[in-house]
Structures are given as C-alpha cells and as structure tokens.
C-alpha cells in the first residue's frame, strides 16, 4: 500500500488534520525513494557455498525496476582450532537491459574480504553468491544489506 492510497481525513468532531500532514510527508518520502527501497536486512551466509545460492530478500523485479544499488556488509568468524575472522563492506550497482532481458551489474568499491568468491544477478533480478570454506567452529556468518532502486 502506498501513502497515496490512503484517503484524506475530513474535519469532524475531532481535528484530524495531523493525519493529512502525516500522509503528505509519507508521499514525499515515497517520491524521494522512487518506491523501491529495501531496508536493512540480515541474511545468513552459508560456509563453503560452491554453487550459486539466493540471498533471501534481495531481488529486483525487472518489470518494476530499471536499476538498483545495494550496499552490504559481511562478517564471518569461527572459534576454536583454526579460528578465522573475515569482514567486508561494499556495494553492487545494476541496470536492466530490456532488449537483452538481462541485468548488467558491477561490484563497486569494497573494503576487506569476507570470502564471497562470486556474485550473480539472475535475469529475474535475484542476487546470488558463492562463499569460501573457513575453518574452525562456526560462530557468525552474517550479511546485512540495504538497497534503493529506480522504477520503470
């Protein structure tokens, strides 16, 4: 549901003009964001993921969006014998080609290395990853991401 779908309130026994102001602020926020926003979301990275796996909650429907930018941070660590700690912060930018029916994307600047060996964006807009094998007793293997899009 969009803020524009919410009806304006008319004055009655109680002053509800604050509601209309809140609705207008929501509409302005929606227009700034272009209607496509993924708020910060957490996802568990699988260890030693040798084939592409979906990042749940991170997809861009090409019938709705022409481009995206997503930022991510990944932290993976293990404990015990062979303990390992990996961290990375970066971004990926993509644009959809309607003629080819594919997403063209590139990884932006990244700092660190969390052992993500490859990224992919399917034609349907689903972001996928592969990961390295880290030794030790698994403790944390988390990716946090957020994204913005621009519509068709």
């Amino acid at each position: 549901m969009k803020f524009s779908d919410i009806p304006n309130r008319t004055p009655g026994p109680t002053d509800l003009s604050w509601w209309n102001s809140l609705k207008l602020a929501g509409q302005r926020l929606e227009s700034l964001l272009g209607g496509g926003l993924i708020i910060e979301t957490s996802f568990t990275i699988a260890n030693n993921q040798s084939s592409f796996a979906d990042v749940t909650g991170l997809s861009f429907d090409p019938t709705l969006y022409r481009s995206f930018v997503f930022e991510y941070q990944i932290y993976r660590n293990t404990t015990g014998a062979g303990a390992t700690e990996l961290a990375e912060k970066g971004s990926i930018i993509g644009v959809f080609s309607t003629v080819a029916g594919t997403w063209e994307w590139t990884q932006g600047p990244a700092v660190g290395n969390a052992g993500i060996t490859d990224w992919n964006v399917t034609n349907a807009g689903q972001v996928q990853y592969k990961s390295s094998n880290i030794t030790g007793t698994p403790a944390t293997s988390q990716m946090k991401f957020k994204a913005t899009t621009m519509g068709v």
Side-chain angles (χ1 to χ4, degrees):
M1 173 181 249
K2 293 183 174 185
F3 279 96
S4 58
D5 296 333
I6 300 170
N8 283 327
R9 303 292 188 229
T10 54
T14 315
D15 181 18
L16 297 176
S17 61
W18 62 270
W19 179 260
N20 294 335
S21 296
L22 183 63
K23 175 188 169 194
L24 181 59
Q27 287 175 299
R28 288 181 178 156
L29 183 60
E30 281 176 341
S31 78
L32 284 172
L33 298 174
L37 172 70
I38 298 174
I39 60 171
E40 186 174 297
T41 304
S42 293
F43 173 75
T44 301
I45 297 288
N47 189 39
N48 200 26
Q49 181 67 45
S50 60
S51 59
F52 281 116
D54 293 350
V55 177
T56 305
L58 188 55
S59 64
F60 306 100
D61 182 342
T63 65
L64 300 175
Y65 307 114
R66 285 293 178 260
S67 64
F68 66 81
V69 175
F70 80 85
E71 292 180 73
Y72 65 88
Q73 69 179 27
I74 300 170
Y75 182 75
R76 300 171 67 197
N77 79 319
T78 59
T79 60
T84 305
E85 179 180 49
L86 302 172
E88 181 176 336
K89 167 72 174 148
S91 63
I92 293 181
I93 302 166
V95 63
F96 188 72
S97 170
T98 55
V99 173
T102 59
W103 284 98
E104 182 179 333
W105 59 273
T106 187
Q107 185 169 3
V111 175
N113 182 350
I116 301 303
T117 59
D118 203 1
W119 293 98
N120 185 46
V121 181
T122 68
N123 294 348
Q126 177 63 58
V127 176
Q128 301 176 317
Y129 74 99
K130 292 180 183 179
S131 66
S132 64
N133 185 32
I134 56 177
T135 59
T137 304
T140 305
S141 192
Q142 185 179 62
M143 173 177 159
K144 289 189 177 186
F145 60 85
K146 60 184 178 179
T148 57
T149 62
M150 294 189 103
V152 174

